[in-house]
Amino acid sequence: MEWRASHILVKDRALAQELLKRIKSGGNFTALARDFSTCPSKSKGGDLGWFGPGNMVPKFEEACKKMSVGSISPVVSTQFGHHIIKLTGRR
């Protein structure tokens, strides 16, 4: 199984919660990723491309496994910070 996902990565959990609220109320995920994410993927609107098992940290991968394509995760915390994940593909 492989997944394709975009994410917004921030250091502050409160900011992550606020961004999640904005997305759920119609905010543009891609634009918010470009404006707020600290990951280099921000230049691509948060797109991480395709990845398989073991390519992402376990908490991130576990979140992707539970999601349906097109859905947005709750805030997922890892050693890198706080992620909001949008699953964009599964194959």
Side-chain angles (χ1 to χ4, degrees), residues 75-90:
V75 174
V76 176
S77 298
T78 71
Q79 66 265 42
F80 299 106
H82 306 284
H83 309 258
I84 301 166
I85 305 166
K86 180 178 184 179
L87 191 68
T88 57
R90 174 181 274 133

Side-chain angles (χ1 to χ4, degrees), residues 1 17 22 37 53 55 61 80-81:
M1 176 71 66
Q17 295 286 12
R22 288 170 69 174
S37 186
N55 291 118
E61 186 178 315
F80 299 106

Side-chain angles (χ1 to χ4, degrees), residues 6-8 19 22-23 26-37 41-47 86:
S6 295
H7 78 146
I8 300 171
L19 293 172
R22 288 170 69 174
I23 292 163
N28 183 293
F29 188 98
T30 302
L32 290 170
R34 284 194 176 112
D35 291 344
F36 291 96
S37 186
S41 68
K42 72 190 251 170
S43 65
K44 296 179 275 181
D47 182 25
K86 180 178 184 179

Side-chain angles (χ1 to χ4, degrees), residues 2-66:
E2 286 186 313
W3 303 272
R4 185 168 189 163
S6 295
H7 78 146
I8 300 171
L9 174 64
V10 295
K11 293 291 183 200
D12 182 64
R13 186 171 180 81
L15 175 58
Q17 295 286 12
E18 176 59 32
L19 293 172
L20 183 59
K21 277 187 206 169
R22 288 170 69 174
I23 292 163
K24 289 189 180 270
S25 64
N28 183 293
F29 188 98
T30 302
L32 290 170
R34 284 194 176 112
D35 291 344
F36 291 96
S37 186
T38 60
C39 180
S41 68
K42 72 190 251 170
S43 65
K44 296 179 275 181
D47 182 25
L48 296 167
W50 289 97
F51 56 91
N55 291 118
M56 298 293 176
V57 293
K59 283 184 179 179
F60 191 99
E61 186 178 315
E62 286 302 313
C64 290
K65 286 180 182 178
K66 296 175 187 172

